[in-house]
Amino acid sequence: MPLVSMRQLLDEAAKGGYGVGAFNVNDMEQIQAIMMAAKETKSPVIVQASRGARQFAEDLYLFRLIQAAAELNPDIPIAMHQDHGNSFETCKSAIALGYTSVMMDGSLKEDGKTPSSFEENVDVTRRVVDYAHERGVTVEGEIGVLGGVEDGHGAGGSGLDHITDPDQAVEFAERTGVDALAIAIGTSHGAYKFTKKPDGSVLKMDVLIAIHKRLPNTHLVMHGSSSVPKDLQDIVNQYGGKLKETWGVPVEEIQLGIRNGVRKINVDTDNRLAITGAIRKVLWTQPEKFDPRDYMKPAREAMKKVVAARMTEFGQAGHAGDYKPIAITDIAKGYADGSLTTQPLVAAK
Ligand SMILES: [Zn+2]
């Protein structure tokens, strides 16, 4: 089937009360791993590419691979999403390629490092929403600033420096008309998220719940939400890796989020760890091997396992066939005639 609107995927997820994993890709094997997992678990899925991924793979290679994934998997709804667009131009170029969703991360200036002002964020996000919706493309915005750095994007810090303010989240959703909203509740990008197992005092789940209460129909997005499981770290280190001990976001916390309006969950690090562990194991235990397929195949299989597990844990498994994809041109009409609302429902404090 053609690539579908992320808005539709998330609207359906809200109806069904589940979350949808958004998995980052840079190459064919990662795309194949995601599609193998989606097929096995019958899951709708969001595939996303960062600016770094688009540069690494070259736009056209990457996008044609996604088109192949869609063609080869007619029963799986796939949304293709630009992760952390840093400017109107970046989002525009993704839309020109055929991405069905873009993130305009206006929480940072165009350098992808310096936190921006609230007004700057509203302005650039609103511009992207106007442009994208005319073309049926979904927009994710971000309010508050996430921690860490990934693919050269991020403000750094612990993730607790710029926690989202619920009042600002309401104003931002009202003034921009975004379809999905990434919020900062203490998560960080990259492998080194927490130095101990995070509990309620580390992750600000109370902030998430407060935002969901005020914006009950807004699709919330959790970034930096790899769980960084110990067994994946161990495989890397067992075969010569040197990862320092670290903790990610426990799956139970993500599931609590899903019960409170989280519809999109970004996962990248777990897949990177699974791939690296599998490759290390082959090269370490069978040093005579030199055919890349000898380690890329187990790497792809290891990533598939992680993705399938997340799809089951997030609840998207089994929902691939629940609905008929709406053509992007009809989504555009929906935005234009107001049947796809961009004004959030706002509840009193
Ligand atoms: Zn992110």
Side-chain angles (χ1 to χ4, degrees):
M1 68 174 68
L3 295 172
V4 307
S5 151
M6 189 171 88
R7 169 70 182 265
Q8 190 191 6
L9 281 191
L10 300 184
D11 283 351
E12 291 290 340
K15 274 189 231 163
Y18 57 89
V20 182
F23 304 100
N24 286 79
V25 295
N26 302 276
D27 62 25
M28 180 183 76
E29 287 81 359
Q30 291 174 317
I31 294 169
Q32 289 175 321
I34 294 167
M35 296 319 300
M36 284 155 64
K39 205 169 169 177
E40 184 181 287
T41 61
K42 299 187 171 54
S43 299
V45 69
I46 300 163
V47 178
Q48 60 185 14
S50 65
R51 277 185 294 140
R54 287 177 56 185
Q55 228 165 34
F56 171 80
E58 293 185 49
D59 271 339
L60 209 52
Y61 282 118
L62 198 61
F63 191 69
R64 292 278 198 266
L65 286 167
I66 297 295
Q67 286 179 315
E71 203 175 315
L72 291 169
N73 296 276
D75 302 329
I76 306 288
I78 310 170
M80 184 62 204
H81 176 75
Q82 163 78 54
D83 192 18
H84 288 286
N86 62 321
S87 66
F88 179 84
E89 288 306 321
T90 299
C91 294
K92 193 177 161 190
S93 68
I95 293 168
L97 275 166
Y99 283 44
T100 57
S101 181
V102 293
M103 176 185 193
M104 178 60 234
D105 178 359
S107 74
L108 300 175
K109 292 181 188 282
E110 199 170 332
D111 67 5
K113 291 183 180 70
T114 317
S116 63
S117 73
F118 180 74
E119 290 301 325
E120 285 173 310
N121 191 357
V122 168
D123 284 350
V124 68
T125 306
R126 178 77 239 176
R127 272 181 70 210
V128 171
V129 167
D130 288 342
Y131 184 86
H133 282 182
E134 244 177 68
R135 291 156 181 82
V137 172
T138 309
V139 180
E140 173 185 342
E142 176 171 323
I143 181 73
V145 181
L146 291 148
V149 179
E150 197 162 59
D151 277 4
H153 183 100
S158 75
L160 293 167
D161 303 338
H162 305 275
I163 294 290
T164 304
D165 169 60
D167 288 332
Q168 270 200 349
V170 171
E171 191 184 336
F172 185 80
E174 284 182 315
R175 287 176 59 190
T176 60
V178 288
D179 302 283
L181 186 59
I183 55 172
I185 53 164
T187 65
S188 296
H189 292 117
Y192 298 101
K193 299 181 193 301
F194 307 108
T195 49
K196 59 172 187 151
K197 187 174 173 176
D199 54 21
S201 67
V202 178
L203 274 177
K204 303 292 178 198
M205 298 307 286
D206 53 329
V207 173
L208 186 150
I209 291 166
I211 293 168
H212 177 55
K213 280 205 175 117
R214 300 286 311 281
L215 294 169
N217 289 353
T218 298
H219 304 311
L220 302 180
V221 183
M222 276 176 80
H223 280 244
S225 290
S226 275
S227 299
V228 201
K230 190 159 182 332
D231 57 329
L232 292 183
Q233 297 178 45
D234 286 348
I235 294 172
V236 172
N237 285 342
Q238 189 183 342
Y239 299 106
K242 283 203 167 78
L243 295 173
K244 289 176 283 178
E245 195 172 39
T246 178
W247 281 267
V249 180
V251 169
E252 315 85 73
E253 298 291 319
I254 296 170
Q255 289 168 331
L256 173 64
I258 292 168
R259 291 195 293 279
N260 289 282
V262 170
R263 299 291 159 236
K264 172 173 181 273
I265 305 103
N266 289 8
V267 175
D268 190 3
T269 296
D270 287 353
N271 293 326
R272 293 177 173 196
L273 289 173
I275 289 168
T276 300
I279 292 175
R280 278 196 171 278
K281 186 176 176 184
V282 173
L283 297 182
W284 189 268
T285 57
Q286 303 171 79
E288 71 283 4
K289 296 280 190 195
F290 63 93
D291 180 342
R293 289 171 298 187
D294 287 336
Y295 49 83
M296 291 311 293
K297 208 174 158 192
R300 186 172 64 187
E301 186 60 29
M303 173 166 162
K304 185 211 109 179
K305 260 195 201 157
V306 173
V307 173
R310 294 294 174 272
M311 286 171 161
T312 304
E313 289 156 350
F314 298 163
Q316 75 209 79
H319 289 287
D322 286 4
Y323 48 91
K324 242 187 90 178
I326 303 168
I328 292 297
T329 46
D330 289 333
I331 295 278
K333 282 182 206 151
Y335 285 125
D337 68 21
S339 54
L340 272 178
T341 177
T342 53
Q343 268 309 299
L345 179 67
V346 179
K349 269 196 230 186

